Amino acid sequence: MSVPKLNVSTDLLQVRHVTRYRYAKPVTFGPHRAMFRPHESNDLRLTAFEINTNPTSVHHWLHDVFSNSKVIMNFDEAPPSETLEITCVFNVVRSSVDIPVFPIAHSAQRYPFDYPKEQIPDLLALIRPEYDHPESAVNDWANKLKRQAGDNTWTILTTINNTIHSSLEYKRREEPGIQAPRHTLELGAGSCRDFAILMIEAVRQLGFAARFVTGYLYDPVASQSGALQGTGATHAWVQVFLPGAGWIEFDPTNGLIASGNLIRTGVARTPSQAVPLDGSFHGASDAFIDMDVDVQILALAPTLRS
């Protein structure tokens, strides 16, 4: 029996992420923590990485509880400044299959299903919902979509992913924090991280293990009509664990599944564990003026297909 040929595309991409903080008067800086280094895997390979700050800082690296790579930037020797600029540039090779096929275990193809006993201790915290849901708003919404989808596991997950994309309005928010999932439903709108946590909470209500993903979204037509939502900044999406298939990526903001446009830099149980950049300053409480983030992703070589 012949095996069908898969159409695999490979992109060499460069990500440039610049964050600028501005202050009304010179301040000093406490440690800053960044989660910019890609999650390397069979479909994502890092070929170059550089991070610099102005004022200069001393760096050390660590792995957190999820094995994310984090860099700690210490400014102990830096002079007071009215600005702080952090620039990260890296190159990755990103490969993807045009039409991915997921070998979901036979026992998990129909809903409901049980995770294997040996996996339950590791997945339990990722199945338990994080938010309180007055009047069961998110639970009711998830169950309504489950009834529409039937008992096919894959159809349930794709229905939730596609419904968020098609029925809610994307609105970019610069301020930190996450909308409660029930508020996202009430407003009918949210940012990529709001949509990600809505999907996570919805599938957890149904008993799936899910986690939050942070990273970047590459779009070769970002400046044109029909571009993907969430470019120009860090992006957020979802991973759901299915027996036999493992962690599968869903981007409810754009209705994507296992897309080659996604560049992972961190995974976590909650968004607060996957903040791309945080830190502190020492100075007057009203010294902070504003910050801006600029993310640019360029293709360094034409897409290769095999």
Side-chain angles (χ1 to χ4, degrees):
M1 182 178 68
S2 62
V3 178
K5 182 177 175 60
L6 298 177
N7 293 320
V8 180
S9 60
T10 302
D11 294 286
L12 176 59
L13 306 174
Q14 182 175 87
V15 178
R16 180 180 178 84
H17 180 160
V18 182
T19 305
R20 301 179 186 88
Y21 298 90
R22 284 178 285 271
Y23 301 86
K25 58 191 72 175
V27 299
T28 57
F29 304 103
H32 280 59
R33 295 158 292 277
M35 191 182 289
F36 293 154
R37 188 182 177 90
H39 244 223
E40 294 189 77
S41 62
N42 60 298
D43 58 358
L44 185 64
R45 179 166 57 88
L46 182 69
T47 62
F49 184 95
E50 184 177 33
I51 186 166
N52 293 292
T53 66
N54 185 17
T56 58
S57 58
V58 177
H59 304 165
H60 74 270
W61 289 87
L62 58 84
H63 286 103
D64 67 10
V65 68
F66 301 101
S67 292
N68 301 307
S69 291
K70 287 189 174 183
V71 60
I72 312 299
M73 297 163 280
N74 288 301
F75 296 88
D76 295 342
E77 303 301 321
S81 175
E82 295 179 353
T83 61
L84 170 61
E85 184 170 289
I86 300 173
T87 302
C88 177
V89 181
F90 63 81
N91 298 347
V92 291
V93 176
R94 182 67 165 95
S95 60
S96 62
V97 179
D98 288 352
I99 305 177
V101 177
F102 304 102
I104 302 172
H106 180 74
S107 61
Q109 292 178 7
R110 295 291 172 183
Y111 179 88
F113 65 87
D114 293 322
Y115 285 106
K117 290 182 179 179
E118 67 273 13
Q119 294 177 351
I120 290 176
D122 301 302
L123 295 175
L124 195 58
L126 301 171
I127 298 172
R128 186 182 302 116
E130 291 290 323
Y131 288 77
D132 293 327
H133 302 293
E135 301 177 359
S136 303
V138 176
N139 186 44
D140 291 347
W141 180 79
N143 275 283
K144 177 183 177 181
L145 295 179
K146 181 203 70 173
R147 289 191 295 271
Q148 292 176 5
D151 66 351
N152 183 280
T153 296
W154 185 247
T155 303
I156 292 170
L157 293 172
T158 55
T159 296
I160 294 172
N161 188 58
N162 294 339
T163 298
I164 294 173
H165 168 60
S166 63
S167 65
L168 302 180
E169 181 184 359
Y170 171 77
K171 290 187 176 181
R172 182 168 171 175
R173 290 193 301 111
E174 297 293 348
E175 65 271 17
I178 305 290
Q179 285 178 177
R182 58 188 172 86
H183 289 156
T184 300
L185 290 176
E186 291 168 358
L187 294 170
S191 67
C192 60
R193 60 188 186 274
D194 300 324
F195 291 166
I197 201 62
L198 172 60
M199 181 166 183
I200 288 171
E201 289 295 291
V203 301
R204 284 176 178 173
Q205 291 282 341
L206 298 178
F208 292 95
R211 60 188 184 184
F212 183 88
V213 189
T214 186
Y216 302 96
L217 176 67
Y218 168 61
D219 187 358
V221 294
S223 62
Q224 302 176 25
S225 175
L228 297 173
Q229 303 279 14
T231 59
T234 54
H235 192 52
W237 60 99
V238 180
Q239 287 183 337
V240 178
F241 189 84
L242 293 177
W247 290 107
I248 300 174
E249 294 187 308
F250 294 86
D251 178 7
T253 300
N254 294 291
L256 301 176
I257 299 171
S259 171
N261 300 80
L262 301 172
I263 303 171
R264 292 178 305 280
T265 59
V267 299
R269 177 174 51 85
T270 68
S272 63
Q273 297 168 315
V275 177
L277 176 64
D278 69 342
S280 60
F281 73 91
H282 305 291
S285 59
D286 61 349
F288 177 73
I289 298 176
D290 61 15
M291 67 168 286
D292 63 70
V293 177
D294 180 33
V295 173
Q296 297 181 14
I297 306 179
L298 303 175
L300 298 182
T303 298
L304 302 177
R305 296 184 181 274
S306 60

